[in-house]
Amino acid sequence: MFLYCGIACRRKFFWCYRPLSTYVTKTRYLFELKEDDDACKKAQQTGAFYLFHGLAPLLQTSAHQYLAPRHSLLASSHKPEMETELKGSFIELRKALFQLNARDASMLSTAQALLRWHDAHQFCSRSGQPTKKNVAGSKRVCPSNNIIYYPQMAPVVITLVSDGTRCLLARQSSFPKGMYSALAGFCDIGESVEETIHREVAEEVGLEVESLQYCASQHWPFPSGSLMIACHATVKPGQTEIQVNLRELETAAWFSHDEVATALKRKGSYTQQQNGTFPFWLPPKLAISHQLIKEWVEKQTCSSLPA
């Protein structure tokens, strides 16, 4: 059983009990809590906590969404007793993420990624000795050689490819039936973001990128904490024949503006149709791929309007 304090608790405490004057003031206070064990222990007495069992957060069901209750310090007890007492269940975050509000989704993603990192870095890679975390959980230290380990994220590019009037969307076999998304891949050592985009598009769909533009970024907790770097990319209109790398993707295809705009408007569950197929749908709003696709649709809509 884990009580996650981390950033979630510190922010909650800071917002409630310490007046904010500037962004710098808040940032420096959060830094103090990460580095000063005594200050963090003091904050824990009045802070709010998310509760985890393993890597599953305790959530409560409300209508068509999940609520993530925040608690004061609790006495340790068994999982079934805790679920009964707090009127919730420990639910896998991947299943619940898109049914949480934006704030809880962000906080729980951060919490889970941090807990997973601590679980995987309990020993020093040089001495082999157990490492110890500080109170805030912002780092681990090897007592034998004082090497400090900090949580890390793996950079991933997610790219929406367009030929001017269409966008290219793909799906992996692990995706829910009918869902398509933008191309994505990890940055290799030594690569820039631009080089990764060129390589990933060539590897996965056999196309050469002509130009690209940065869109936004997002922390993503799966599989172990990644920084999603979203970009738009264009290919030459005359060079659009897709050659799918089946070791990477299940399928990929070009979609028109109208097809994508219609998919963005779809709501509700996506069940199998009478003919055995599934409707074409896109990642939910909290996913940065949704933002990337929506931005492309809006740009296409604006460019098609008469001057």
Side-chain angles (χ1 to χ4, degrees):
M1 193 78 69
F2 293 98
L3 282 167
Y4 171 70
C5 176
I7 300 298
C9 166
R10 295 197 300 274
R11 284 180 178 163
K12 174 71 174 181
F13 171 77
F14 190 74
W15 287 338
C16 293
Y17 300 104
R18 187 180 177 117
L20 287 178
S21 57
T22 65
Y23 174 78
V24 172
T25 303
K26 182 181 76 170
T27 301
R28 289 189 171 180
Y29 179 67
L30 295 178
F31 176 81
E32 177 186 1
L33 293 182
K34 288 195 292 184
E35 298 298 324
D36 188 325
D37 284 352
D38 290 334
C40 190
K41 288 178 182 178
K42 183 178 179 180
Q44 286 179 350
Q45 301 307 309
T46 51
F49 296 81
Y50 289 109
L51 188 63
F52 283 76
H53 182 271
L55 295 175
L58 182 86
L59 302 175
Q60 296 171 341
T61 303
S62 175
H64 299 293
Q65 66 175 350
Y66 287 111
L67 302 177
R70 290 174 286 276
H71 310 280
S72 57
L73 285 172
L74 299 167
S76 176
S77 63
H78 296 295
K79 176 184 173 183
E81 297 170 354
M82 190 70 72
E83 290 178 323
T84 301
E85 180 181 347
L86 300 177
K87 299 178 181 179
S89 301
F90 290 99
I91 299 172
E92 185 182 344
L93 184 58
R94 187 185 288 271
K95 296 179 179 178
L97 187 64
F98 295 118
Q99 293 174 271
L100 290 163
N101 63 51
R103 183 191 177 194
D104 285 335
S106 175
M107 291 291 190
L108 290 174
S109 294
T110 300
Q112 190 197 71
L114 189 58
L115 290 172
R116 183 185 281 111
W117 180 82
H118 279 291
D119 185 57
H121 292 78
Q122 297 185 34
F123 297 89
C124 176
S125 62
R126 180 168 295 180
S127 70
Q129 297 299 309
T131 55
K132 295 183 178 180
K133 72 177 184 67
N134 62 344
V135 175
S138 61
K139 60 186 176 182
R140 299 188 72 91
V141 180
C142 177
S144 67
N145 54 29
N146 292 321
I147 293 178
I148 302 175
Y149 295 91
Y150 293 98
Q152 297 177 336
M153 293 192 297
V156 175
V157 294
I158 181 163
T159 309
L160 186 65
V161 177
S162 170
D163 68 350
T165 60
R166 303 174 298 174
C167 73
L168 188 151
L169 298 171
R171 54 174 285 106
Q172 299 176 358
S173 58
S174 59
F175 284 6
K177 296 295 185 181
M179 194 191 85
Y180 282 73
S181 186
L183 301 178
F186 287 93
C187 294
D188 278 349
I189 289 178
E191 281 187 332
S192 65
V193 169
E194 294 82 357
E195 288 170 334
T196 301
I197 291 172
H198 281 269
R199 175 183 56 78
E200 282 291 335
V201 174
E203 281 183 357
E204 295 192 349
V205 293
L207 297 175
E208 289 191 33
V209 169
E210 184 178 40
S211 63
L212 56 89
Q213 180 182 16
Y214 172 78
C215 171
S217 63
Q218 177 188 46
H219 168 254
W220 189 245
F222 315 112
S224 57
S226 301
L227 176 63
M228 306 296 290
I229 305 166
C231 295
H232 292 280
T234 58
V235 296
K236 294 181 179 179
Q239 300 177 7
T240 59
E241 183 181 352
I242 299 172
Q243 299 175 2
V244 178
N245 183 343
L246 295 177
R247 297 179 65 178
E248 296 284 336
L249 303 173
E250 182 179 88
T251 187
W254 290 106
F255 292 86
S256 69
H257 168 270
D258 289 344
E259 289 176 309
V260 178
T262 300
L264 281 173
K265 296 176 183 177
R266 289 200 176 102
K267 297 180 180 179
S269 58
Y270 306 101
T271 57
Q272 189 172 6
Q273 298 175 325
Q274 290 184 348
N275 61 3
T277 64
F278 287 82
F280 162 53
W281 60 286
L282 301 167
K285 291 182 179 180
L286 283 179
I288 199 168
S289 53
H290 183 99
Q291 178 182 338
L292 196 59
I293 295 166
K294 182 180 178 183
E295 186 175 278
W296 178 81
V297 167
E298 291 172 347
K299 287 182 178 179
Q300 291 292 308
T301 301
C302 291
S303 64
S304 64
L305 296 175

